Amino acid sequence: MSEVEETNSYIKPAIVGALITIPTVALLYKTVHIVNEGEVGIIFNRITGVSDTVLYPGHHWLAPWCSLVLLNSRLRPHTSRIVATTQDDELLTIAVRVLFSPIEECLPEIYKKFGVSYTAKIVPSILNEVLKTVALEFDVFDAVVNRNEFSERLQEALHEKLNQYDLRLHDSAIVKIKPKSKEVCNAIESHLINLNKNKDQ
């Protein structure tokens, strides 16, 4: 066998091996997916649709006909500000800040219903609805003066409503609560001043 023939006998298998190996490695690379901290992976199967399986942070292998949808699972804040009507038909400006996170095992169902931007579609409307409902349970005086009682009722209602959408409430705080009417504001302020004077005596 000549040197050329001997060289060719080595080159041809090497070329064939490379032609097989490179596509295989590329295919394997495309089927390995990473879920980062603060995220949850949802599997979308092009044949069967969204899987109920939840993938947590780490490396995961998926079949070539599957893709990975990454959803935010972090604890997040949201602040809403509305003008609500109280039990005695007064207008009350309320701003509330909540800390919430999704119930991770429920994220496939959340994704099916609301998509990737589920927070923007769920949380603002829930806060507005709950704020208006709770405001109607109080007259304007009690809502402002008995702020702790109003806050506790609000947190209870928010917890219940968010849970219906597979979201977990971690905390809520009233940032602002103030009547729109100057006369009502002045009356409440005078009441609080007199209340403090009586405590000091």
Side-chain angles (χ1 to χ4, degrees), residues 25-88:
V25 171
L27 180 63
L28 288 173
Y29 178 78
K30 286 183 178 181
T31 58
V32 175
H33 300 267
I34 299 173
V35 178
N36 296 313
E37 288 295 329
E39 294 177 331
V40 162
I42 306 299
I43 301 170
F44 178 74
N45 186 313
R46 293 179 181 86
I47 301 170
T48 59
V50 178
S51 168
D52 291 330
T53 302
V54 175
L55 301 181
Y56 294 96
H59 291 75
H60 302 275
W61 180 86
L62 298 180
W65 53 88
C66 292
S67 58
L68 184 67
V69 179
L70 296 175
L71 298 178
N72 191 338
S73 62
R74 295 179 181 88
L75 183 70
R76 278 169 289 170
H78 181 85
T79 301
S80 277
R81 176 189 173 118
I82 69 161
V83 175
T85 304
T86 60
Q87 195 175 66
D88 51 349

Side-chain angles (χ1 to χ4, degrees), residues 69-112:
V69 179
L70 296 175
L71 298 178
N72 191 338
S73 62
R74 295 179 181 88
L75 183 70
R76 278 169 289 170
H78 181 85
T79 301
S80 277
R81 176 189 173 118
I82 69 161
V83 175
T85 304
T86 60
Q87 195 175 66
D88 51 349
D89 291 326
E90 292 290 343
L91 295 178
L92 190 64
T93 300
I94 314 170
V96 173
R97 182 176 183 269
V98 298
L99 285 173
F100 71 96
S101 65
I103 299 173
E104 292 181 341
E105 58 268 27
C106 297
L107 274 169
E109 194 62 31
I110 293 174
Y111 175 72
K112 289 176 190 176

Side-chain angles (χ1 to χ4, degrees), residues 112-129:
K112 289 176 190 176
K113 292 179 181 177
F114 303 103
V116 175
S117 305
Y118 64 91
T119 298
K121 295 177 182 176
I122 302 174
V123 178
S125 59
I126 286 179
L127 283 176
N128 289 346
E129 178 187 338

Side-chain angles (χ1 to χ4, degrees), residues 112-155:
K112 289 176 190 176
K113 292 179 181 177
F114 303 103
V116 175
S117 305
Y118 64 91
T119 298
K121 295 177 182 176
I122 302 174
V123 178
S125 59
I126 286 179
L127 283 176
N128 289 346
E129 178 187 338
V130 171
L131 283 170
K132 290 177 180 178
T133 301
V134 173
L136 283 171
E137 298 176 11
F138 292 78
D139 62 43
V140 68
F141 184 86
D142 285 338
V144 177
V145 174
N146 300 323
R147 181 168 172 159
N148 287 342
E149 183 181 338
F150 185 90
S151 179
E152 287 174 6
R153 176 67 189 102
L154 183 62
Q155 187 166 39

